Amino acid sequence: MFLELLAFLVQLDPGFGVLNYLTLRAVLAMLAALLISLALGHYFINKLHQYQIGQVVRADGPKSHLSKTGTPTMGGVMILFSFIISSLVWGDWSSLYLWIVLATAVIFGAVGFTDDYLKIKRKTSDGLSSRQKILGQSLGAVVIGLWIALSITDPIQTELLIPFVKDVTMPLGLIGFLLLAYLVIVGSSNAVNLTDGLDGLAIMPVILISSALALFAYISGNYNFSNYLNMPFMPGTGELFVICSALVGAGLGFLWFNTYPAEIFMGDVGSLALGAILAVIAILLRQEILLFIMGGVFVAETLSVIIQVAYYKRTKKRFFLMAPIHHHFEQKGMSEPKIIVRFWMVTLILVLVSLASIKIR
């Protein structure tokens, strides 16, 4: 939207052209999303209190979490609102990537919103059934995957990039690409959802991974940088730099209120949408493997649940004291803030390792 206004301003004074720079728009998008979140935070929390939209804690969860009952939830609405508004203001409306990412936010946010609404309405921790949730996520993944596939104009956009090695890609073909896109989107959406169990545990990794994807987007969309760093040049992906920056700003604004002890939780409306957004951006940048590495915490949380369920079905015993794995550490006596910060540190290390792939080729 701003670019349309900018075209008019440049006619009045060419000096306004500086606002067209990608880096400046990215900074402004981040600041706008951050300020929107901070400005709306207390108002949104107060409204949630007023309408008694509070967290319903699992009866079989850690006993220390019972004190969190009633804490305002569905804060993901605030994240998505600030992210979408900032992206629309500072993003390029002619970019297909902008609309693909925003559609992802809306679709998966709607699935999460429905799940949260049912939990609040029923006053239980049971919202959508697992089958219903997977169905909603699957439909969204198929729609977004097909949209991306139909927009492909270069064969490199259907190849899987192998990080840390030079000029090595894996051709997927259309079917392979769609299958990979489905698995990455649904898997990432659920992984972030499972991780969102402690105050600030999920949002900081989202911020760190978004920051790294922003850098990959900037390099991939710039011919000179991509050529120098031996990365595939993908025209138009530079706009994802602005989108990732808006996501970072929205996440930081939410973290202000979500840090321990949390004043608000993101709910499924936030976690399902954020996981899907990260996945779609990684797919557009062809960095699915690096998303898997950077999201190691999300992967570990998901695997802990899979292992727990499979082990229990076979032996009728628990492999972990409680799953997801952050609850296991709680049961072992580790304090919530210590678990959160250590998981953040692990994510930071994994993000730095992934960024090293830019030069290690």
Side-chain angles (χ1 to χ4, degrees):
M1 182 172 67
F2 178 77
L3 291 182
E4 278 66 31
L5 175 61
L6 182 61
F8 172 73
L9 294 176
V10 169
Q11 293 179 356
L12 299 178
D13 187 342
F16 283 108
V18 69
L19 296 174
N20 193 41
Y21 284 108
L22 193 64
T23 49
L24 182 56
R25 285 199 291 121
V27 171
L28 293 174
M30 183 188 301
L31 289 175
L34 172 60
L35 293 175
I36 292 172
S37 292
L38 292 176
L40 290 179
H42 284 299
Y43 173 81
F44 191 74
I45 292 171
N46 290 335
K47 283 296 181 182
L48 292 175
H49 273 300
Q50 180 181 339
Y51 292 106
Q52 299 182 338
I53 301 177
Q55 180 75 11
V56 180
V57 178
R58 296 165 43 189
D60 59 343
K63 301 304 180 185
S64 60
H65 286 211
L66 295 177
S67 61
K68 299 183 179 186
T69 300
T71 301
T73 187
M74 297 180 73
V77 172
M78 186 174 74
I79 301 174
L80 296 181
F81 178 80
S82 56
F83 166 65
I84 292 173
I85 294 300
S86 180
S87 297
L88 287 174
V89 171
W90 297 106
D92 182 358
W93 285 18
S94 66
S95 171
L96 183 62
Y97 296 137
L98 171 68
W99 299 111
I100 289 176
V101 174
L102 294 187
T104 302
V106 172
I107 292 172
F108 283 82
V111 175
F113 183 91
T114 304
D115 190 40
D116 287 334
Y117 173 77
L118 291 176
K119 291 177 182 177
I120 294 166
K121 182 179 179 181
R122 297 168 180 171
K123 300 296 182 182
T124 70
S125 58
D126 298 322
L128 292 172
S129 66
S130 298
R131 182 174 297 180
Q132 290 171 329
K133 190 181 293 186
I134 287 294
L135 177 60
Q137 292 172 301
S138 297
L139 291 174
V142 169
V143 169
I144 297 299
L146 284 172
W147 192 357
I148 297 174
L150 292 175
S151 68
I152 290 174
T153 57
D154 191 323
I156 191 64
Q157 293 175 294
T158 60
E159 295 181 0
L160 181 64
L161 301 186
I162 309 299
F164 303 105
V165 291
K166 185 177 181 179
D167 299 328
V168 177
T169 62
M170 181 184 297
L172 297 173
L174 182 59
I175 300 301
F177 172 83
L178 289 173
L179 179 60
L180 178 65
Y182 172 83
L183 293 175
V184 172
I185 294 173
V186 174
S188 179
S189 179
N190 280 310
V192 175
N193 181 237
L194 290 172
T195 306
D196 184 36
L198 301 179
D199 301 352
L201 180 61
I203 192 62
M204 179 55 82
V206 168
I207 292 169
L208 293 172
I209 295 171
S210 298
S211 301
L213 289 175
L215 182 58
F216 282 106
Y218 185 74
I219 294 171
S220 297
N222 186 295
Y223 177 79
N224 293 324
F225 286 155
S226 60
N227 184 55
Y228 173 72
L229 295 169
N230 197 39
M231 290 179 62
F233 170 58
M234 291 181 279
T237 54
E239 194 61 30
L240 293 172
F241 181 45
V242 177
I243 296 170
C244 288
S245 298
L247 187 58
V248 170
L252 287 172
F254 177 73
L255 181 61
W256 183 273
F257 305 100
N258 183 237
T259 190
Y260 182 86
E263 300 174 63
I264 187 172
F265 301 137
M266 72 168 68
D268 285 4
V269 63
S271 59
L272 293 181
L274 292 176
I277 290 170
L278 291 180
V280 168
I281 293 174
I283 291 168
L284 292 172
L285 294 172
R286 312 307 304 127
Q287 298 295 347
E288 296 93 340
I289 294 178
L290 286 183
L291 175 65
F292 182 85
I293 295 173
M294 291 188 289
V297 165
F298 298 144
V299 174
E301 295 275 17
T302 304
L303 288 177
S304 70
V305 173
I306 295 173
I307 292 170
Q308 185 85 320
V309 172
Y311 189 79
Y312 185 80
K313 284 183 176 180
R314 183 170 183 176
T315 67
K316 300 304 177 182
K317 297 179 181 179
R318 298 178 185 271
F319 187 87
F320 298 101
L321 296 178
M322 188 176 290
I325 198 169
H326 58 260
H327 289 323
H328 171 78
F329 291 117
E330 280 190 290
Q331 296 297 333
K332 290 180 71 69
M334 191 178 295
S335 67
E336 183 172 340
K338 181 174 287 189
I339 298 170
I340 294 165
V341 173
R342 287 183 175 177
F343 276 41
W344 288 357
M345 292 172 66
V346 170
T347 300
L348 176 60
I349 292 169
L350 294 175
V351 166
L352 293 176
V353 169
S354 298
L355 290 176
S357 70
I358 295 175
K359 286 298 293 181
I360 302 176
R361 291 179 177 275

